[in-house]
Amino acid sequence: MKSSQQELIVGLDIGSTKVCVVVGRQGEDGIEIIGVGQSQSHGLKNGMIVNIESTAAAIRRAVNEAELMAGCEVNNVVVGIADKFIYGQNSLGVVRVKHGEVTEQDIHRVIESAQAVPLPPNREILHIIPREFIIDEQNEISHPLGMTCSRLEVKLHLVTAASTSIKNITKACHLAGLEASSIVLQSIASAEAVLMTDERELGVALIDIGGGTTDIAVISNNALWHTAEISMAGNHLTGDLAVGMRILINEAESIKRAHGCCQKSMVDKDEQVGITTTGHNSGRQLSRQTMAMILQARAEELFSLIDRELHRSGHSGELVAGAVITGGTSLLSGMEELAERTLNMPVRIGRSTNVRGLADMVSQPIYSTGVGLVLYGAKNAHVPKKPKPRINTGELMRIIAEVQRVLKEFF
Ligand SMILES: Nc1ncnc2c1ncn2[C@@H]1O[C@H](COP(=O)(O)OP(=O)(O)OP(=O)(O)O)[C@@H](O)[C@H]1O
Ligand SMILES: [Mg+2]
């Protein structure tokens, strides 16, 4: 029997190398993954849609596969976004508390006041993430509702995206017959899937190294402080290997996955690897150490950019739990060791472990964003996109009078 869309939460990760659809279902003891679909990505460059029709076709292929596996029809998706025009900034809002006690309306007003920052043209706010509230002089308040004070402040993280990127993602979903119920920054989704509560509390950097982009999120005290994206990832490693070893991109890709290592000290200098694909390179022997030197040089360059970004966040000194790397490129042999050495902090590979169902399958780091989108969707299902305006007393009296008039007419 087909499950209805209402009980499903579907994550759509439009990555630079693959489009992936993860179908989850809210159960009594957490999220159960019941379907996964994947197709080769087309129409994207460095995480950005450059051809809507090809992207939509790739989305449709991945959705068909996921529908088949899950035995359900997918209509709504929580979709990820990442491109070089995503921009995160911190902001502060202040309001006077009118009745001496913080109401829901005060919280909405203070969050709204923090959004009053000048935005460059053609940008939209994607996420408003409160980090802490301050009542009078007391800071680090997470739930100010009902507290007594005269002044309420909020510190929050705003993530903005280019309007065109948001429109293109929505349009590609429509063309594929889907409704994008929300658009979520990919690094926020990956963090949702792979970080542990202690890490979020102590301070951690989430680094998702995919094919075209590396997404970073800095989280400390359970709050998001910094988000950034670097347009360098696994495809650059493959490209360097192809040029350096004079082989084709598809040969470089499969050799990188099967025999690549980004720490030359971990590789025996006499080890040779034969090319197994057909073509004029077939049977050629390549030095694994030379390949490791090429991969190490690029991986070190990438991690120096990541390190710079972490320093720019102003919170690099607080990353007590170190860094968690995920995404397909985190699987490259030697990556964890190289990351520890270059960032000078403890590093682990992040996998989604807090879901049931097809848990083994989605624990692969390439699925972190897709699973995270499902978890994010489940967690935020009740949150309205924009705070609803409250009805004032005059409005309420008018509604009551109208109801009384209608009742009189009938009785
Ligand atoms: N076992 C492996 N060893 C090394 N690299 C790998 C391995 N498996 C996948 N990769 C690399 O991971 C990258 C793809 O990762 P992922 O699926 O997370 O990217 P994506 O989500 O499609 O792209 P992006 O997040 O950049 O938009 C590719 O560059 C691929 O070569
Ligand atoms: Mg990705």
Side-chain angles (χ1 to χ4, degrees), residues 123-141:
R123 293 198 73 77
E124 282 176 39
I125 294 179
L126 196 63
H127 294 290
I128 303 156
I129 305 161
R131 280 202 318 263
E132 65 167 325
F133 290 93
I134 302 164
I135 55 169
D136 294 338
E137 301 302 308
Q138 195 183 338
N139 59 4
E140 292 193 9
I141 306 281

Side-chain angles (χ1 to χ4, degrees), residues 13 15 18 186 208 210 369:
D13 172 20
K18 51 116 194 19
Q186 285 181 6
D208 184 329
T369 306

